[in-house]
Amino acid sequence: MQNPLRNLPSVSQLLESPQLKRLAESLNHQVVVDGVRDFLGDLRNRVSEKLEDVEIPAAADLAEKIAGWLKTQRRNQLRKVINGTGILLHTGLGRAPLSEAAIHAIQDVASGYCSVELDLATGQRGQRAQLVRQQLIDLTGCESAAVANNNAAATMLALSSLARGKEVIVSRGQLVEIGGSYRLPEVMECSGCRLREVGTTNKTRLADYEQAINENTGAILRVHPSNYQVVGFTETPDIRELVGLGHRRNIPVIDDIGSGALIDFSKYGLADEPMARQSVECGADLVLFSGDKLVGGPQCGIIIGRNKHVRQVLANPLMRAMRVGKLTLAALSATLAQYLRPELAEQEIPLLAMLATPLENLELRAKRIAGQISGIGPVASAEPVRENSMLGGGSVPGQLIPGWCISIAPAGRTVDQLAADLRNGSPAVLGRIKQDRLLIDVRTVHPSQDVALVNVFESLS
Ligand SMILES: *Cc1c(COP(=O)(O)O)cnc(C)c1O
């Protein structure tokens, strides 16, 4: 048998093909050369592993294949997604979408210079968080504030600033993992603190904390069980009791509330989300939460609390490593400004607007879109169905938000293939699969995307 590799075109031969020539001009010559080499290398390997199965295409076909492969490779960039998953705070999809005001604020500072660390009134160097400090004071009643890259960074900063080299007391019921790389015991170790576990998974009493206090105790940490629930025979002291104990024994209390509600979410049917203001009022020394969960702003970690403790955080060299940029501050500040006018916040902050959308409205949109896509290309049939959405992002476990979906039966492909085709659409569309149907949840699709959503289905026909 003849070695099929003898027919393999050379790199320079392939680069002469019109497709790859065009790509080299529009993309980058070296990127295309490297891509062709990688593709050929991979092909050679496959051929030498199983000689009989692999057929070497003609040069023109091969060039076309490589060009297509290079284009999909390039597409693995940050791409726009229509979120039909029904998960409002989808970490894989960048959590909270920003409000118009936040986007404008980013645009405003992105193109030029801005006063990110300069007090224009005095001409003196200022603190970055100064921009949002007063807003956070107004919204939560705290004494001071700092902003870090995310809540994981906020936690490390708080622990390292208040308790490095010391023990931090945490209930065994609160040793959380928030997806993959965030596991509290590891975060604790990285911050230079020693974890002092107390109580049991389901029951921890104030006396357990009290008995664990010794001369090496640096802080008490409470962590909100964001993404799980301990139900049944349970007990855990509330933040007020922990603060009482901490202050009696002169030990700072850090409260990681996770999602950080700035307003009461029970009106959206979401009970049990701790409010930042409440934690401050209970006397927690530092309160930590994400900017892109229930706040509905950009990715960041918000640290609020007492002057003395925030100053310790700001003086920590890690603060510099975990600080946020001007774009984040601009978006955060614009988002917080909207909360100062709560009647506007619900209309303008996308997360709140999604939560506040009435069911009738969602039903209408689901019906309309189902009618528009039913029978086209990849859709055998589509119908509106009552389903539940979820907050996600490690917020309010087990609480479902009533909603409406478009339930799609695929034509000429499996439901998994349909899901993959939609993911590769432009923009990409994500749904969820349930019993051989693809569901597109309209609560998480912005109404301005309805037309684009229908267009993606049409483009697949
Ligand atoms: C989400 C969450 C974190 C991590 O926050 P990031 O902003 O994703 O870093 C930490 N603690 C709790 C309780 C959370 O819910």
Side-chain angles (χ1 to χ4, degrees):
M1 187 175 169
Q2 201 193 11
N3 181 355
L5 284 175
R6 283 175 50 160
N7 299 328
L8 198 63
S10 70
V11 175
S12 50
Q13 218 179 327
L14 286 165
L15 287 171
E16 285 303 310
S17 74
Q19 297 98 324
L20 287 171
K21 233 183 187 160
R22 228 177 299 127
L23 205 56
E25 275 161 24
S26 64
L27 201 60
N28 172 293
H29 181 72
Q30 195 56 44
V31 168
V32 175
V33 173
D34 292 345
V36 172
R37 287 210 179 102
D38 285 350
F39 194 96
L40 292 182
D42 185 58
L43 194 61
R44 273 195 206 93
N45 288 341
R46 279 187 295 143
V47 169
S48 46
E49 272 161 27
K50 24 195 289 195
L51 268 172
E52 66 286 7
D53 293 9
V54 185
E55 226 175 88
I56 303 289
D61 294 341
L62 189 59
E64 175 140 7
K65 242 185 162 151
I66 297 176
W69 172 75
L70 269 167
K71 277 186 202 152
T72 43
Q73 284 243 310
R74 289 278 117 189
R75 272 205 301 175
N76 278 340
Q77 295 161 337
L78 215 44
R79 288 181 62 216
K80 201 173 168 118
V81 172
I82 294 179
N83 177 11
T85 64
I87 299 169
L88 279 80
L89 295 171
H90 196 301
T91 301
L93 300 180
R95 292 197 188 150
L98 294 178
S99 65
E100 290 288 329
I103 294 162
H104 285 143
I106 290 177
Q107 249 168 5
D108 229 23
V109 300
S111 58
Y113 301 103
C114 64
S115 60
V116 67
E117 253 181 37
L118 194 77
D119 181 349
L120 293 175
T122 62
Q124 301 290 307
R125 185 92 184 242
Q127 271 288 349
R128 278 183 183 225
Q130 209 59 32
L131 292 168
V132 291
R133 183 171 171 266
Q134 191 57 49
Q135 291 175 308
L136 286 164
I137 291 172
D138 295 341
L139 287 168
T140 68
C142 66
E143 289 177 7
S144 191
V147 184
N149 185 51
N150 53 20
N151 194 19
T155 308
M156 291 191 72
L157 275 167
L159 290 169
S160 156
S161 308
L162 270 49
R164 188 150 33 105
K166 296 190 160 177
E167 289 179 5
V168 176
I169 307 176
V170 187
S171 160
R172 288 199 170 87
Q174 298 173 4
L175 293 175
V176 302
E177 169 169 326
I178 315 276
S181 51
Y182 183 104
R183 310 183 89 190
L184 191 62
E186 289 158 17
V187 171
M188 185 82 71
E189 198 180 312
C190 247
S191 316
C193 302
R194 282 194 305 282
L195 174 63
R196 180 67 197 266
E197 301 172 34
V198 294
T200 62
T201 307
N202 56 330
K203 281 214 175 208
T204 306
R205 301 179 178 83
L206 194 64
D208 296 324
Y209 285 89
E210 184 137 33
Q211 280 155 23
I213 294 177
N214 61 44
E215 67 281 6
N216 290 322
T217 305
I220 294 171
L221 173 66
R222 186 188 81 137
V223 185
H224 176 62
S226 291
N227 51 4
Y228 65 103
Q229 276 171 320
V230 182
V231 293
F233 187 58
T234 64
E235 181 177 340
T236 180
D238 63 24
I239 188 66
R240 196 181 297 277
E241 293 172 276
L242 290 178
V243 166
L245 171 65
H247 291 181
R248 262 197 322 279
R249 306 291 295 267
N250 203 21
I251 291 166
V253 176
I254 302 168
D255 194 11
D256 173 7
I257 60 172
S259 300
L262 292 175
I263 55 168
D264 188 356
F265 276 76
S266 59
K267 70 167 169 176
Y268 302 119
L270 303 169
D272 303 333
E273 268 308 326
M275 281 179 67
R277 174 178 280 280
Q278 212 164 19
S279 190
V280 169
E281 277 170 3
C282 287
D285 297 289
L286 287 180
V287 181
L288 320 173
F289 53 100
S290 300
D292 53 354
K293 288 185 181 171
L294 290 182
V295 175
Q299 179 194 306
C300 62
I302 298 170
I303 303 170
I304 56 176
R306 294 184 190 280
N307 263 324
K308 173 184 159 194
H309 300 99
V310 173
R311 264 204 301 272
Q312 280 175 275
V313 169
L314 290 171
N316 189 328
L318 274 180
M319 183 69 229
R320 170 64 189 254
M322 295 175 174
R323 74 182 182 188
V324 292
K326 60 179 181 176
L327 305 185
T328 301
L329 278 173
L332 178 61
S333 181
T335 307
L336 294 176
Q338 291 175 308
Y339 278 100
L340 293 168
R341 308 196 44 203
E343 70 287 356
L344 286 184
E346 191 170 276
Q347 292 166 29
E348 295 178 356
I349 297 175
L351 176 75
L352 303 186
M354 283 191 277
L355 280 170
T357 311
L359 266 181
E360 309 83 72
N361 183 322
L362 298 174
E363 181 182 4
L364 232 87
R365 286 175 54 214
K367 272 190 180 143
R368 193 178 56 223
I369 299 168
Q372 286 168 334
I373 61 172
S374 200
I376 62 169
V379 182
S381 69
E383 51 178 351
V385 288
R386 249 294 278 117
E387 283 280 344
N388 293 317
S389 321
M390 271 170 50
L391 203 50
S395 310
V396 199
Q399 286 202 66
L400 301 173
I401 303 158
W404 278 86
C405 287
I406 307 147
S407 169
I408 300 161
R413 60 198 93 189
T414 65
V415 69
D416 288 316
Q417 278 164 345
L418 176 61
D421 291 343
L422 289 169
R423 274 201 313 279
N424 286 304
S426 185
V429 175
L430 255 71
R432 58 178 197 263
I433 291 171
K434 187 177 175 186
Q435 292 162 350
D436 283 335
R437 292 285 183 276
L438 184 80
L439 301 183
I440 303 284
D441 191 317
V442 290
R443 192 181 284 279
T444 48
V445 177
H446 193 272
S448 69
Q449 296 177 313
D450 286 1
V451 174
L453 177 63
V454 173
N455 287 344
V456 173
F457 279 96
E458 273 169 357
S459 74
L460 296 181
S461 37

